[in-house]
């Protein structure tokens, strides 16, 4: 029977590893990965005992963003002077907080003192209070924008 397997270079954000052996001495490995997007690899090494050396193998993996679970806009609430602009940041994220790409996000304004373009850049037109609303079905978020002279 071989010695227990060792695992190394488990990333990104690996959560746990477990190795069990069957009755024939076969090692079964389970790996629970984290939520961070990225590439990583698992290197398994088993000692053959004494002068026989080691056996090693590598498996690579890539964690990609999951399904969107929320839409968050930043800055949350802000004050801006007339004729100034700022970009809204944030967007859709999965349950691990990873950004999710979505081409259908739209912006609307409730109020008359700001304008927002398709990229989410807000421009102050005249003093007043407004809400900028973003939709990425089925998610909705809004931010308050106060324009001062």
């Amino acid at each position: 029977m071989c010695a227990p397997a060792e695992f190394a270079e488990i990333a990104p954000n690996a959560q746990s590893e477990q190795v069990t052996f069957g009755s024939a001495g076969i090692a079964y490995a389970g790996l629970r990965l984290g939520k961070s997007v990225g590439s990583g690899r698992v290197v398994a090494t088993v000692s053959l005992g004494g002068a026989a050396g080691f056996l090693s193998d590598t498996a690579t993996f890539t964690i990609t963003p999951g399904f969107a679970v929320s839409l968050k806009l930043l800055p949350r609430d802000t004050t801006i002077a007339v004729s100034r602009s700022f970009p809204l940041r944030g967007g859709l994220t999965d349950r691990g907080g990873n950004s999710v790409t979505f081409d259908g996000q739209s912006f609307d304004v409730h109020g008359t003192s700001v304008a927002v373009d398709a990229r989410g850049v807000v421009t102050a037109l005249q003093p007043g209070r407004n809400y900028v609303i973003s939709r990425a079905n089925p998610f909705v978020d809004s931010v308050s924008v106060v324009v001062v002279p």
Side-chain angles (χ1 to χ4, degrees), residues 4-25:
E6 295 178 12
F7 291 85
E9 298 183 52
I10 301 170
N13 192 20
Q15 296 294 310
S16 63
E17 59 184 71
Q18 176 182 349
V19 180
T20 57
F21 292 90
S23 60

Side-chain angles (χ1 to χ4, degrees), residues 53-136:
F54 297 89
L55 286 177
S56 184
D57 200 3
T58 302
T60 59
F61 60 89
T62 301
I63 298 174
T64 57
F67 294 105
V69 296
S70 68
L71 172 63
K72 300 241 188 283
L73 294 177
L74 297 171
R76 291 305 306 161
D77 299 314
T78 193
T79 300
I80 186 172
V82 171
S83 77
R84 300 299 300 251
S85 297
F86 69 93
L88 290 171
R89 298 181 317 278
L92 291 169
T93 57
D94 67 8
R95 66 184 180 141
N98 301 301
S99 293
V100 176
T101 303
F102 179 71
D103 293 332
Q105 187 171 357
S106 63
F107 298 94
D108 293 315
V109 175
H110 285 228
T112 58
S113 60
V114 298
V116 62
D117 67 16
R119 296 173 298 136
V121 176
V122 178
T123 303
L125 305 173
Q126 62 188 16
R129 182 176 193 88
N130 305 266
Y131 290 94
V132 177
I133 300 167
S134 179
R135 289 181 177 81

